[in-house]
Amino acid sequence: MENSKPLLILLCVICAMVGSNGIENPQFTVVHSESDFEIRLYRESAWMSAYVPEISFEKATREGFHRLYQYIRGANSGSSELEMTAPVLTSTIPVAKSVEHYVKFYLPTEFQEAPPHPLPELNLQFDKWRRHCVAVREFSGFATDNNIDQQVEALLTSIARSQTGNSIVLEDKHAYTIAQYNASFHLSGRLNEVWMGVLSGKGLFQYIEGANLNNSRISMTLPVLTSIAPEAGPLYSSAYIVQFYLPVKFQGSPPVPLPELNLQPDAWASHCIAVRKFSGFARDSNVVAEAEKLAVSLSRSPWGNSTSPDSKYAYSIAQYNSPFRFIGRVNEVWVDIDGSKIVGCSSDAVATF
């Protein structure tokens, strides 16, 4: 027990500094907010990270803190002392049958571009973040091995119940980060957060939440469409285009997206498509098989030779449900049909985006 006392004292010093006023934080913008969670867009930032394998969340946090604290107190190439920042993060990443942890310290502004190198024995890594979104849910009390799984499940449940849940696609629902803001001896009013990375439908999600020149909020629509464009990617690989149908009020004049989102309007003339429904989740392992089933069905019908030669997409997958809905899921595979060969399918030039 005696050997553990210096470390415990050290952690109190770190947490006391985190809980004090004037602590620098990473910059973010809230792009979506609900009663019990929000989506934040974090700017590019630099962190120092301590890798800790295969132990509990609490033990990983203590060990990572210890190494990071030595770094900010001068165990670096410039013998520089760095101001404390908040929050301190502990990320948990599942790997095979175990987990890995990364304890992270946000570098102060003056060290964002050129941080001092940590001493090799600390085994720390520089971690440069791109702009990215995270789903965030606050919780109080202490973050412990006994409650963090419950907090992760609470965030997943909140997203699933959200009206925009089917537009929030998580990077990995088994990977999460716990952000801690308070001293270990701070017993009341404690602030912690659970973070989960949000994938890019990101660009579309940010757009409908107001990242456009009008700052307009746009209601969610269905389905979300992923189209496969053969040979449109690098080295003639397939490319994937994710599309969001604009509500009627924005059809004539959609808000212009912010340039950094790299979104383009896509005007559809009225046209016919062949559609085949399928259930479950749309995955890499089954969408090709579903497209092939549609092709077989078409070949046995009077429209076997009616697929459009002018379509820029091989096929599209339409998804109607949140990724957190497990029962009664509805998906469709779509293929464009040549309207000149089918009565009622000629274009009347009605446009959508």
Side-chain angles (χ1 to χ4, degrees), residues 22-305:
I23 299 297
E24 187 176 353
N25 309 119
Q27 300 282 307
F28 66 86
T29 302
V30 176
V31 296
H32 177 73
S33 182
E34 299 199 17
S35 60
D36 54 357
F37 82 99
E38 64 187 21
I39 306 293
R40 296 175 185 167
L41 171 62
Y42 276 90
R43 299 179 185 176
E44 289 185 356
S45 57
W47 299 67
M48 195 58 67
S49 176
Y51 168 68
V52 188
E54 293 189 37
I55 60 175
S56 74
F57 162 80
E58 291 180 67
K59 290 180 180 178
T61 301
R62 285 197 294 269
E63 181 181 322
F65 269 152
H66 180 62
R67 287 151 53 192
L68 289 167
Y69 185 73
Q70 292 178 65
Y71 171 73
I72 67 176
R73 298 307 295 167
N76 54 65
S77 57
S79 299
S80 301
E81 292 199 8
L82 284 67
E83 294 292 333
M84 194 61 196
T85 61
V88 174
L89 308 181
T90 303
S91 297
T92 300
I93 313 295
V95 179
K97 296 182 179 180
S98 65
V99 294
E100 297 178 340
H101 300 278
Y102 294 86
V103 184
K104 301 181 182 183
F105 164 77
Y106 174 69
L107 290 163
T109 299
E110 65 177 303
F111 295 106
Q112 280 284 306
E113 296 302 323
H117 294 286
L119 297 185
E121 58 265 30
L122 296 181
N123 190 25
L124 302 178
Q125 298 84 36
F126 181 60
D127 187 7
K128 184 72 172 178
W129 286 12
R130 298 180 179 177
R131 285 166 54 94
H132 69 290
C133 281
V134 293
V136 177
R137 185 180 190 275
E138 292 185 3
F139 65 100
S140 59
F142 286 88
T144 68
D145 291 327
N146 295 326
N147 67 4
I148 55 174
D149 287 345
Q150 297 171 5
Q151 297 301 330
V152 172
E153 287 300 320
L155 175 57
L156 290 171
T157 299
S158 296
I159 294 172
R161 291 174 177 169
S162 167
Q163 292 297 311
T164 55
N166 60 338
S167 71
I168 303 171
V169 181
L170 297 177
E171 292 176 355
D172 183 345
K173 68 178 182 178
H174 301 292
Y176 58 87
T177 294
I178 302 298
Q180 300 185 70
Y181 291 84
N182 301 110
S184 57
F185 50 81
H186 189 160
L187 302 181
S188 63
R190 295 185 61 82
L191 174 61
N192 314 288
E193 295 168 341
V194 55
W195 295 5
M196 300 186 79
V198 176
L199 267 180
S200 206
K202 267 195 307 205
L204 288 173
F205 182 77
Q206 293 167 40
Y207 173 69
I208 67 177
E209 289 299 320
N212 53 69
L213 297 187
N214 297 356
N215 295 316
S216 298
R217 285 282 186 90
I218 302 171
S219 298
M220 189 61 197
T221 61
L222 294 173
V224 174
L225 199 64
T226 303
S227 300
I228 291 82
E231 300 186 355
L235 301 176
Y236 301 100
S237 62
S238 294
Y240 298 87
I241 295 88
V242 181
Q243 296 171 295
F244 164 79
Y245 172 73
L246 285 164
V248 172
K249 68 178 288 188
F250 294 111
Q251 282 286 305
S253 181
V256 177
L258 298 183
E260 58 266 31
L261 298 183
N262 193 27
L263 302 178
Q264 297 86 35
D266 187 10
W268 287 14
S270 61
H271 64 288
C272 283
I273 57 172
V275 177
R276 185 182 190 278
K277 289 185 178 181
F278 65 99
S279 59
F281 284 89
R283 303 184 185 278
D284 292 337
S285 57
N286 67 355
V287 294
V288 173
E290 296 297 338
E292 289 175 345
K293 290 176 183 177
L294 176 57
V296 170
S297 298
L298 276 173
S299 69
R300 294 171 178 169
S301 76
W303 301 282
N305 297 317

